[in-house]
Amino acid sequence: MNRVPVWVGDASFDAAIAQLPERVVRSAQPRGAICVVDGRRERHENVRTLLAEDAAAVVLAHPGRARPELIGALDEAVVPVVVDRPLLRADDAEVVSREALRPRHILVEAIGARPHFRAVLLDAVGWVRILDAGEIDVVSRARTDDAVLAALRSSSGVEATVSGARLSTAVEPALAVDGLGERRLEVELDVAAGIRAVRVHGENGALVHASADEAHERLALRRALAALDGTEVADLDELRRDSRIVDAILGSALA
Amino acid sequence: MHNVGIIGAGPGTWALHLPTLGALAADYRVVHIADAGGGRAGRIADRVGARASSSAEELLADPDVHVVAICTPPDSHAELILAAIDAGKRAVFCEKPVATTPEELTAVLSACRAAGVALVIGTNHLFDPAWDRVKHHLDTGAGRVLSVSATLSLAPNGRYHALVSDPVPASAPPARPPIDPEDRELSAAIVRQLVVGLAIHDLPLVRDLLPDLEAVLHARAVAPIGYDIGFRASGALVRLTAMMHPAGADTMWRLTVVTTHDRVEIDFPPPFVHGGSARVRVRDEAGRVIRFPIEREDGYLREWRALAELLDGIGAMEYDELELDARFAIALADAAATAVREGAVR
């Protein structure tokens, strides 16, 4: 059995490792391993050390809390970087992409408590990117102490509106995506309520896609394994694009 | 029993108000229907044993008509309300909007107040019993409103006409010109028309929560026909987005209110149909999802019941509220149109 080592600084990926028993094994050393980096607490110096110690791939968890220096360190990596985004899962994105929808207007609403707010906005913007392949610009933004509203326009001509509200409670974040058009997409993601739904509404009713109940950590590890086998991942590039837009929306006051 | 005369013979009459009034037969009887000479009034009036005529003047001169229902294009509403008051009618039910300019509004409400005429505007979402429950929930909760959004994805209305009446053949209405983003004047005119004619269903609800319209933040036309508007009101952010598509998915009409503590989603039924009150789902401060029970009656029934209560002396006529709702909508429509004309987004 040729298992790929996984190095992680805490127990957050233990279940995922246990659920890939023939493909990965926990390792005490980063050398040659898929290294899980926690965006909330990992320092960029440590990431550079991991990379210098020949990490085979990186999984970035909690990217919404990662400092720019950390992303900068990962930019220097010559190994694949997979970004774990529970509200913007690659499998959900693939389901949506397969539908080949061409929404005329995209709406995304995000809610989250202060610690999650930037992360949920990143994923909100990520959904716009998934639904429209063009370059996205912020054409209008407004904010209050606890809410943002941004009008976006893509180079493809599609427009989008993203709103976010920062809740005063500690509850987990939620996202709602609507792709308006003759075939209407509705994505509902709510961590606290355990809702993860992709629906496509057409003339004859709604198609509710089955959501695979695979933990997002396991999905991230599987994608890292695939990347090691040669599948290209553009996660970091996409994260950077999404970050640029979120920075433009937020300015500095709400970040 | 209140005798109703309806001006207008389009789907708003035969697919909406006649079936609705039929369900309220203990309170209302339709006695007269007038069109502008198109000939449909006779066929529709036959359905309910009413008289038909080919002008509003004939209907207003009919002494049997106590309540005038105005179901004509928006630009004619103010003039017809004033004519109904001049004719000595006791009450007017007017499809939205009550007026399209501040001057018209002032004239209409001054005349209504002076004559003591009861006036109900068909902004049916305001009358939906679900809204009362949501308002109570918001008023009694700890949360402060952070944002409101109204999302409309509208299928052609004809789909719903056949579910509530036997369709009346008619020549197709003149096709609206499609949105041309390059033509700012046309886009501005369409957005203004859609705000006073469509978004107005939700604006009284928005104003209930956020009474002070501060500024339009962005406004743009959405193809093929629609709008996307952001504005600030009473310190919160509001988004209104609508798209009317020629085919495809059923109508979605959703109002969402996010407070510091929870998120309230109100799904209104498609237009014309009678499926009970709007569906309400609250995601509370602990992440629990709570659904409100629906009520049998919808906003269409309740708006006519509200008029009956006014006529019977049970309800109080709130001219000030009605006026503030209308001024809010007209001001927003004007500001949004200006934003579109000046470059849509800023």
Side-chain angles (χ1 to χ4, degrees):
Chain A
M1 199 179 298
N2 189 18
R3 295 186 292 182
V4 175
V6 174
W7 178 90
V8 53
D10 60 20
S12 59
F13 273 63
D14 283 0
I17 292 167
Q19 290 166 10
L20 291 164
E22 296 196 1
R23 286 180 268 180
V24 301
V25 63
R26 183 152 190 157
S27 169
Q29 304 294 330
R31 178 180 297 275
I34 297 169
C35 294
V36 178
V37 170
D38 187 331
R40 294 172 299 184
R41 62 177 74 100
E42 203 69 75
R43 296 177 60 82
H44 63 98
E45 298 92 335
N46 295 346
V47 169
R48 287 202 168 86
T49 303
L50 288 178
L51 294 170
E53 289 177 7
D54 292 333
V58 173
V59 170
L60 174 62
H62 305 288
R65 307 279 294 279
R67 290 177 175 278
E69 298 80 15
L70 177 60
I71 303 297
L74 290 171
D75 269 340
E76 297 162 15
V78 291
V79 297
V81 177
V82 168
V83 181
D84 179 28
R85 300 172 74 169
L87 293 182
L88 188 68
R89 293 171 57 121
D91 49 358
D92 290 339
E94 194 182 327
V95 163
V96 169
S97 297
R98 272 204 308 270
E99 284 285 348
L101 296 159
R102 301 180 67 82
R104 294 173 184 265
H105 195 95
I106 301 163
L107 301 167
V108 192
E109 292 188 0
I111 55 173
R114 181 180 293 270
H116 309 297
F117 192 60
R118 181 181 159 79
V120 72
L121 273 184
L122 270 176
D123 293 342
V125 168
W127 275 105
V128 176
R129 172 175 47 74
I130 283 165
L131 286 165
D132 183 88
E135 283 297 317
I136 299 161
D137 276 326
V138 178
V139 292
S140 165
R141 70 182 179 104
R143 64 181 187 227
T144 63
D145 287 345
D146 295 299
V148 294
L149 177 65
L152 312 182
R153 183 177 291 141
S154 157
S155 56
S156 71
V158 172
E159 293 175 330
T161 315
V162 171
S163 52
R166 195 168 61 188
L167 306 182
S168 298
T169 65
V171 69
E172 294 282 324
L175 263 184
V177 183
D178 289 295
L180 304 186
E182 285 81 349
R183 293 173 70 223
R184 176 166 59 81
L185 172 72
E186 190 176 16
V187 179
E188 187 183 0
L189 303 162
D190 187 332
V191 177
I195 297 170
R196 187 171 139 237
V198 176
R199 306 181 195 96
V200 178
H201 301 258
E203 185 103 33
N204 297 314
L207 171 65
V208 181
H209 281 276
S211 58
D213 287 328
E214 180 182 22
H216 59 89
E217 296 92 343
R218 186 180 192 272
L219 175 64
L221 286 183
R222 277 202 306 109
R223 295 184 65 238
L225 289 170
L228 290 175
D229 284 341
T231 302
E232 286 203 17
V233 285
D235 290 18
L236 199 59
D237 200 37
E238 290 167 353
L239 180 66
R240 217 175 9 249
R241 287 171 63 188
D242 297 345
S243 290
R244 178 181 62 80
I245 295 164
V246 169
D247 289 343
I249 292 173
L250 287 175
S252 56
L254 273 170
Chain B
M1 180 62 69
H2 307 294
N3 289 351
V4 180
I6 303 179
I7 304 173
T13 295
W14 60 262
L16 179 53
H17 293 298
L18 284 188
T20 302
L21 290 168
L24 299 171
D27 289 322
Y28 293 105
R29 179 173 57 220
V30 178
V31 297
H32 197 143
I33 297 175
D35 63 13
R40 272 182 298 169
R43 176 172 176 166
I44 298 165
D46 279 349
R47 294 178 168 188
V48 291
R51 287 181 292 286
S53 60
S54 57
S55 75
E57 290 75 19
E58 282 182 68
L59 183 143
L60 293 175
D62 183 343
D64 270 358
V65 172
H66 304 147
V67 177
V68 177
I70 298 170
C71 304
T72 55
D75 286 346
S76 62
H77 290 178
E79 185 184 341
L80 288 170
I81 294 171
L82 292 171
I85 295 168
D86 280 347
K89 302 305 179 188
R90 298 171 54 206
V92 175
F93 176 96
C94 183
E95 265 305 340
K96 40 72 189 173
V98 58
T100 59
T101 67
E103 296 76 22
E104 281 182 355
L105 181 64
T106 301
V108 163
L109 287 171
S110 299
C112 284
R113 284 186 174 105
V117 166
L119 177 63
V120 166
I121 308 302
T123 48
N124 57 302
H125 292 174
L126 182 63
F127 295 90
D128 192 305
W131 177 244
D132 287 341
R133 285 174 175 245
V134 167
K135 190 70 178 27
H136 178 75
H137 167 83
L138 295 170
D139 287 345
T140 56
R144 172 173 54 85
V145 175
L146 302 179
S147 67
V148 177
S149 61
T151 304
L152 286 59
S153 177
L154 303 177
N157 279 341
R159 186 178 298 180
Y160 303 107
H161 297 163
L163 302 178
V164 289
S165 187
D166 293 322
V168 176
S171 54
R176 291 175 194 259
I179 295 283
D180 175 3
E182 301 304 315
D183 188 340
R184 289 185 186 171
E185 281 300 326
L186 177 63
S187 294
I190 291 173
V191 166
R192 189 185 190 285
Q193 191 182 26
L194 291 174
V195 171
V196 294
L198 185 64
I200 200 164
H201 277 295
D202 299 313
L203 292 177
L205 287 61
V206 173
R207 197 188 73 79
D208 244 0
L209 303 174
L210 307 169
D212 299 323
L213 175 61
E214 295 171 17
V216 166
L217 305 164
H218 75 262
R220 49 190 173 179
V222 171
I225 296 287
Y227 53 80
D228 178 50
I229 300 168
F231 64 97
R232 191 191 307 262
S234 297
L237 299 176
V238 184
R239 173 184 62 73
L240 309 175
T241 310
M243 204 196 74
M244 301 160 80
H245 42 85
D250 263 339
T251 285
M252 174 187 69
W253 194 314
R254 178 174 295 162
L255 188 78
T256 305
V257 181
V258 179
T259 78
T260 46
H261 288 61
D262 58 9
R263 179 178 191 270
V264 182
E265 209 173 77
I266 310 163
D267 277 303
F268 290 101
F272 297 93
V273 304
H274 297 280
S277 63
R279 275 55 173 170
V280 178
R281 194 171 69 150
V282 177
R283 184 211 198 238
D284 75 4
E285 70 277 7
R288 291 171 296 213
V289 176
I290 301 152
R291 291 178 193 277
F292 287 8
I294 65 162
E295 297 201 25
R296 193 178 59 80
E297 292 203 341
D298 54 41
Y300 294 132
L301 290 159
R302 287 292 176 94
E303 62 194 11
W304 279 101
R305 286 204 187 283
L307 185 61
E309 288 178 1
L310 292 173
L311 287 163
D312 296 341
I314 301 167
M317 184 63 223
E318 295 183 337
Y319 293 113
D320 290 350
E321 283 300 304
L322 197 153
E323 179 173 1
L324 290 168
D325 280 345
R327 290 206 187 282
F328 190 98
I330 292 169
L332 178 66
D334 285 338
T338 300
V340 172
R341 199 174 293 117
E342 290 178 351
V345 285
R346 55 193 180 187

